[in-house]
Amino acid sequence: MPDGWAGAALDVVLGRAAVTLAEVGPRFPLSADPDTGTWTTTRRGSWTGGCWAGLLWLRARHTGTAADRTAAEECTARLADRAEADTATRGLILWYGTALATDSEPATTLRSRAAHACLTAFDPELGLVPWGSAFGGPRLLARADGAPGLVPLLASAGPRGRAAAASHLRRHLELCVGAGGHLAPAWQYAPATGWYPLAEPAPGWSRGRAWLLLAVADALTLPGGAAGCPDCLRETATRLGAPQPEPAADVARPTPLPPPTLLSPPTPLSPPTSLIPPADASHPDGPLDTSAAAITAVALLKLATLPGHEACARHAEAVLHRLVTAHLSGTGTGTGTGTGTDTDTDTGTDTGNDAHTGTGTDAGASTPAPPPGRLLHGCHDAATDTAVQHELIWGDFFLALGLAALTGLVDPREA
């Protein structure tokens, strides 16, 4: 078990959440300037709204106050219009935005509504819930960030939902990881010819690997057992960077989906080489992505609940300790600043009048010192130079979730 560093860091990160709430009010934070800590916000939450709601639920559990619970409830209620949105990121939005609200009837109702809406969107011929059109662009995509959260959300919709969850994940793994040892995080389907990989996000996109590992961990740790073949999923987790587990008992493999028709070969998948990965593995000297590391740590903590996966817990703790000691502001070392930007590579951002930066203070007012508890050096999108060294709301959430699991505040299988 970790010593007091994890609890102390969790206090600071959740304290930052209170400061963020006071700043953004009913809007949703996306990314914060590394120098000032000022958030860029959105009215509807884009694909990150569930991470903000989940962070507020963690704070409510941590403090136990009625005010913090009310804030979490109100934030979750603002996600309701996303339940029928045509996007596979409903997993990220409506699973993580509701899963920690274990005794909230409105959140439970919203989660059930979203799960059945996603099940309705499942395409049995493609074997997945398509990426969707909610953020613009082609609808018939399969992306690595369309798998996390959607696996447990679908599985909560009964036996048909569990079967759809297993199929959705298998198809994403067949495409994005594949049998030939590659990582291709985004694919498009052409009805006349089949699936072909897209250039963006790039094969070296660190968050693509992290999202897939999280989805695999979700599938392996669902209540009632794994959604899919446990041996197949464990094998994939190892290829995505999880420590090698102890040998598992033989399990009958499921009937495979019809193989995807591929128009273009993928590129080789290489193992991660550091605790905090570069945002693009093909540019190891480029910006880091602490948010990918935090997602990976949560995935490993989920895997660590399985027999024979004790090494995952040790690796997750090492990642979280590095994040806290080297990249978290207010701890003495994680206070660096940086330049650059990041884009909504994961799903697209809200645009136009919905996007907003700042707190509304007088332009001539003195700027206060940035608050502690900011996970810096997150990279939204290196390819478009968007928020490349910033605090990212999903990085804060997954860091807090990992620390909460280490300290026993939550069971990592809850969310």
Side-chain angles (χ1 to χ4, degrees), residues 33 152 162 177 291:
D33 183 275
R162 179 176 281 268
V177 181
S291 74

Side-chain angles (χ1 to χ4, degrees), residues 219-267:
L220 280 167
T221 57
L222 287 171
C229 167
D231 277 357
C232 304
L233 293 171
R234 288 188 178 95
E235 182 180 303
T236 303
T238 300
R239 294 173 59 201
L240 288 168
Q244 180 73 41
E246 294 295 322
D250 289 339
V251 179
R253 297 185 177 238
T255 301
L257 293 169
T261 303
L262 307 181
L263 299 186
S264 197
T267 54

Side-chain angles (χ1 to χ4, degrees), residues 29 40 247 264 410:
T40 295
S264 197
V410 301

Side-chain angles (χ1 to χ4, degrees), residues 252-342:
R253 297 185 177 238
T255 301
L257 293 169
T261 303
L262 307 181
L263 299 186
S264 197
T267 54
L269 174 65
S270 58
T273 58
S274 62
L275 293 177
I276 314 299
D280 185 342
S282 64
H283 299 284
D285 296 330
L288 300 176
D289 186 9
T290 54
S291 74
I295 294 162
T296 298
V298 169
L300 293 174
L301 288 171
K302 289 174 180 283
L303 292 172
T305 65
L306 301 171
H309 287 70
E310 292 78 7
C312 289
R314 294 190 294 272
H315 190 74
E317 186 176 337
V319 171
L320 292 169
H321 189 265
R322 177 68 59 83
L323 289 173
V324 165
T325 57
H327 303 281
L328 187 67
S329 70
T331 61
T333 55
T335 55
T337 60
T339 59
T341 57
D342 111 19

Side-chain angles (χ1 to χ4, degrees), residues 90-117:
R90 280 178 287 185
L92 290 170
I93 299 166
L94 292 158
W95 176 255
Y96 293 108
T98 63
L100 293 165
T102 52
D103 59 349
S104 167
E105 183 176 348
T108 300
T109 300
L110 176 57
R111 182 167 60 250
S112 177
R113 175 182 146 201
H116 286 87

Side-chain angles (χ1 to χ4, degrees), residues 13-201:
V13 173
L14 295 179
R16 165 59 168 160
V19 174
T20 297
L21 179 62
E23 178 181 336
V24 305
R27 295 178 69 85
F28 291 87
L30 293 174
S31 61
D33 183 275
D35 295 320
T36 66
T38 300
W39 286 99
T40 295
T41 65
T42 180
R43 179 176 60 85
R44 300 181 64 201
S46 189
W47 61 274
T48 66
C51 294
W52 175 228
L55 188 61
L56 292 177
W57 280 112
L58 281 174
R59 178 168 172 80
R61 188 177 295 197
H62 183 65
T63 66
T65 68
D68 285 331
R69 180 185 173 87
T70 297
E73 290 270 15
E74 291 176 348
C75 183
T76 298
R78 294 195 295 273
L79 300 174
D81 67 343
R82 296 296 200 186
E84 281 75 36
D86 182 27
T87 171
T89 62
R90 280 178 287 185
L92 290 170
I93 299 166
L94 292 158
W95 176 255
Y96 293 108
T98 63
L100 293 165
T102 52
D103 59 349
S104 167
E105 183 176 348
T108 300
T109 300
L110 176 57
R111 182 167 60 250
S112 177
R113 175 182 146 201
H116 286 87
C118 290
L119 181 56
T120 299
F122 179 78
D123 186 326
E125 293 187 8
L126 297 182
L128 49 70
V129 176
W131 177 252
S133 58
F135 293 97
R139 181 176 185 275
L140 297 183
L141 303 181
R143 287 181 47 127
D145 41 348
L150 196 53
V151 170
L153 186 64
L154 281 169
S156 69
R160 287 182 56 239
R162 179 176 281 268
S167 176
H168 180 81
L169 179 57
R170 269 191 289 157
R171 181 59 90 213
H172 277 77
L173 295 178
E174 287 170 346
L175 291 168
C176 297
V177 181
H182 63 271
L183 181 62
W187 294 73
Q188 185 168 347
Y189 182 75
T193 50
W195 292 98
Y196 61 93
L198 301 178
E200 293 293 335

